[in-house]
Amino acid sequence: NAGVTQTPKFQVLKTGQSMTLQCAQDMNHEYMSWYRQDPGMGLRLIHYSVGAGITDQGEVPNGYNVSRSTTEDFPLRLLSAAPSQTSVYFCASSQGPGGNTIYFGEGSWLTVV
Amino acid sequence: GNSVTQMEGPVTLSEEAFLTINCTYTATGYPSLFWYVQYPGEGLQLLLKATKADDKGSNKGFEATYRKETTSFHLEKGSVQVSDSAVYFCALLSPGTDKLIFGTGTRLQVFP
């Protein structure tokens, strides 16, 4: 019962470095999304995808890229990391609109120094 | 736009005390409402949900009732335990989407 798997769990980056946060789900869910969690701000939507080949921006997309080449995977790319991107990142998936349960990964703690 | 407002924390209680964490929302249409919990160092877990007015979600002794007239979804538990110490997030799901809108989270600390 893997569910939603995120890697890495912890990462420290230097300003300007690039990296990719991986997210995979094994539930054949169409809908996947990335959120970031910051103190006092709850979780905010970065990007989402309603199916393979389709992505769109959420509330805070700047500085992040995504792609969805398969149903299972939804990686989040930081092209040039900035200290403001220090956060906890959560990937989520669900079957699609309609109040179905949304499943979250365990989170990726990212620090940019 | 849609939004969720939660009471600020931390909420500090003694074991076996009664817990209420307030949550109110602003939304068009009839959203689904959720409570998620995040234990220290862990990810988000769905605690309970309600999809229509007057529904009561419940799990692990926690309850919340979807009150359309007051646009509220307060979380309650009759007797908290130290193991309930966590951050609790209220969230709504707009109809026809799978984009969750979260409140800022409320940290609960329970002491023996």
Side-chain angles (χ1 to χ4, degrees):
Chain A
N1 294 339
V4 180
T5 303
Q6 288 182 233
T7 56
K9 186 157 186 174
F10 300 98
Q11 183 72 49
V12 178
L13 283 180
K14 294 182 179 179
T15 298
Q17 285 185 318
S18 62
M19 78 158 298
T20 299
L21 298 176
Q22 302 291 344
C23 177
Q25 53 91 8
D26 61 359
M27 298 173 281
N28 202 32
H29 286 168
E30 289 296 323
Y31 195 96
M32 297 185 74
S33 51
W34 277 102
Y35 293 82
R36 59 176 288 172
Q37 180 188 10
D38 301 294
M41 303 191 74
L43 280 79
R44 293 177 294 168
L45 182 65
I46 304 172
H47 284 286
Y48 66 97
S49 168
V50 299
I54 306 169
T55 63
D56 207 345
Q57 296 180 347
E59 182 185 353
V60 287
N62 292 341
Y64 307 95
N65 279 356
V66 292
S67 60
R68 184 93 181 271
S69 56
T70 67
T71 299
E72 295 77 21
D73 300 300
F74 191 45
L76 179 72
R77 298 183 185 85
L78 285 71
L79 298 179
S80 179
S84 61
Q85 294 178 302
T86 293
S87 188
V88 183
Y89 292 85
F90 288 98
C91 180
S93 77
S94 65
Q95 288 180 328
N100 293 303
T101 298
I102 297 174
Y103 297 86
F104 283 84
E106 293 192 340
S108 296
W109 275 254
L110 176 66
T111 302
V112 182
V113 297
Chain B
N2 297 342
S3 65
V4 175
T5 303
Q6 282 181 243
M7 62 186 292
E8 289 191 18
V11 174
T12 304
L13 295 174
S14 297
E15 207 165 21
E16 299 183 3
F18 184 85
L19 168 71
T20 300
I21 300 178
N22 290 338
C23 172
T24 57
Y25 68 90
T26 302
T28 53
Y30 300 92
S32 296
L33 301 173
F34 303 81
W35 278 100
Y36 282 86
V37 58
Q38 184 181 29
Y39 298 102
E42 297 185 11
L44 286 172
Q45 300 177 27
L46 177 64
L47 182 59
L48 53 85
K49 70 175 185 180
T51 58
K52 60 182 187 298
D54 299 325
D55 266 3
K56 177 185 283 188
S58 60
N59 186 25
K60 299 181 180 180
F62 291 90
E63 293 182 340
T65 302
Y66 189 141
R67 301 285 189 199
K68 190 173 186 304
E69 64 276 14
T70 54
T71 62
S72 65
F73 193 54
H74 305 321
L75 183 67
E76 297 182 335
K77 187 175 185 182
S79 177
V80 294
Q81 305 300 312
V82 172
S83 57
D84 293 326
S85 298
V87 180
Y88 293 82
F89 291 94
C90 185
L92 72 80
L93 193 66
S94 299
T97 80
D98 265 21
K99 300 182 212 177
L100 282 167
I101 296 172
F102 285 86
T104 55
T106 303
R107 181 175 299 279
L108 170 65
Q109 297 174 323
V110 181
F111 292 96

